Amino acid sequence: MSTIMDLVCWKDGRMQPLRDAGPSLLDLGFIHCDATYDVSLARGGKVFLFDDHESRFRGSAERFGLKLPPELDLLATSEKVLADNGLGGDALVWWMLWRGIPSTGNPRDIDSCPNHLVVYGKPMFNFAGGRNTATLLVDSKTTRAPDECWGQHFKNFAWIELTVAQRQAIAKGFDTAVIPDPNGYLTEGPGFNVAIVRNGAVSTPARNCLRGVTMVAVERLCERLAIPFRREDIPLGALTDCDEVFLTSTVGGVIPVPTVDGRTMPEHPVTTRLSEAYLQALENPAWYGRPVGPR
Ligand SMILES: Cc1ncc(COP(=O)(O)O)c(C=O)c1O
């Protein structure tokens, strides 16, 4: 039986089996999280919001001093990987860039390391337990490393605090969790941004979290639908003192949260409007690839 590891990927300029493309035990990308990545949604072999993902990926590579091949056409490479694997349905496209093995064996000898880039695709899955909704634990005891460390808006694999929170969530019977920054303000969760809705207005954390492309899409949709949208500091307590909570992620899109810390929120009128608008955007060819006109 074929498995996901039988897919082919693009690595450092050539197509090869995904199973052979990974880092070794000596790669700094593996042992020091000296890496960046990005994940886009693809449908019909085309990449959704490609330009937003590409500019975040290139910005993160620059922040962490990782080099992309100068002649790289990320869009054409992504489309080739999707086509070569027959991924014409909903899929995820991953771009991974990391620092390899120092020729001297000295992990401080960063400039001697080759940089590696892999582009691969895999079939889409649902956000949690086969659903695109999620029950949420507020894990106030685990703290997200703040922007002052390296800038959480740059996409990175240094995620251990999010994994700790996810383990707490599973142990307590929730799908997933969100955590605060060192000052007690809401940040994000393992692989998603979070927003609350109060009196018809959407608020999402301004700091100490990834600048999620899906939340940027929600921001654009809010403008179109005349729904107020703010990026601001949100005290953790607001999560259980608001009208609606939703998550955003490339996997799952706009994800309603029916339960936060045991409090049930059965109605999601604003979230539903945004989710429907997002699903319409997914049907619109203008939201794919490089934009040729207004979206
Ligand atoms: C830590 C974190 N926050 C937020 C997100 C959501 O970002 P996007 O909407 O670009 O998928 C992700 C996605 O992987 C993530 O890893």
Side-chain angles (χ1 to χ4, degrees):
M1 203 182 85
S2 71
T3 73
I4 202 155
M5 294 306 274
D6 293 315
L7 295 169
V8 288
C9 68
W10 182 101
K11 183 180 183 192
D12 298 341
R14 68 180 183 92
M15 299 300 289
Q16 65 176 81
L18 188 55
R19 68 174 69 256
D20 301 331
S24 82
L25 293 178
L26 302 183
D27 281 56
L28 299 192
F30 178 60
I31 61 173
H32 292 166
C33 290
D34 190 353
T36 188
Y37 72 114
D38 218 290
V39 187
S40 316
L41 182 154
R43 181 174 278 189
K46 301 284 171 204
V47 184
F48 188 61
L49 296 171
F50 170 81
D51 51 324
D52 291 304
H53 285 283
E54 182 184 43
S55 68
R56 183 172 68 183
F57 185 54
R58 289 188 182 277
S60 300
E62 196 177 331
R63 168 69 181 96
F64 300 132
L66 292 160
K67 288 188 193 64
L68 284 160
E71 72 290 357
L72 176 72
D73 183 337
L74 208 43
L75 183 57
T77 307
S78 303
E79 289 176 354
K80 176 174 170 50
V81 165
L82 289 164
D84 284 10
N85 288 291
L87 289 167
D90 282 7
L92 293 171
V93 181
W94 275 68
W95 307 326
M96 299 180 68
L97 175 65
W98 73 94
R99 219 180 305 277
I101 306 173
S103 58
T104 56
N106 178 348
R108 280 164 295 281
D109 195 1
I110 281 173
D111 287 343
S112 76
C113 302
N115 289 191
H116 300 292
L117 174 67
V118 165
V119 177
Y120 77 92
K122 66 180 180 186
M124 180 57 97
F125 47 87
N126 285 318
F127 184 80
R131 293 169 279 115
N132 273 334
T133 65
T135 58
L136 200 61
L137 170 73
V138 182
D139 178 3
S140 57
K141 293 201 172 64
T142 305
T143 303
R144 187 83 172 119
D147 284 340
E148 285 74 12
C149 294
W150 58 79
Q152 286 293 5
H153 45 288
F154 299 111
K155 202 159 164 71
N156 64 83
F157 284 119
W159 248 46
I160 196 69
E161 68 274 52
L162 296 177
T163 304
V164 167
Q166 181 62 38
R167 290 179 54 236
Q168 286 291 323
I170 292 168
K172 295 186 173 171
F174 291 86
D175 288 319
T176 191
V178 285
I179 59 176
D181 69 16
N183 294 315
Y185 292 112
L186 180 60
T187 63
E188 61 187 336
F192 58 85
N193 291 109
V194 57
I196 62 168
V197 181
R198 249 186 318 208
N199 302 323
V202 173
S203 297
T204 194
R207 296 188 282 159
N208 305 320
C209 58
L210 185 70
R211 198 167 174 86
V213 167
T214 318
M215 193 61 86
V216 170
V218 163
E219 186 172 7
R220 289 182 194 139
L221 294 170
C222 279
E223 199 180 329
R224 238 171 250 190
L225 297 170
I227 297 171
F229 179 97
R230 283 190 289 272
R231 293 185 187 270
E232 60 186 351
D233 289 341
I234 302 173
L236 272 198
L239 279 170
T240 47
D241 184 24
C242 63
D243 306 321
E244 301 172 44
V245 176
F246 66 86
L247 316 179
T248 59
S249 173
T250 293
V251 173
V254 179
I255 303 153
V257 173
T259 305
V260 180
D261 261 1
R263 180 192 170 217
T264 303
M265 281 178 274
E267 304 290 331
H268 295 91
V270 174
T271 306
T272 304
R273 277 182 79 199
L274 288 169
S275 168
E276 285 170 1
Y278 183 80
L279 292 175
Q280 274 170 22
L282 273 174
E283 298 293 325
N284 183 348
W287 287 61
Y288 288 79
R290 293 197 173 88
V292 283
R295 283 188 164 135

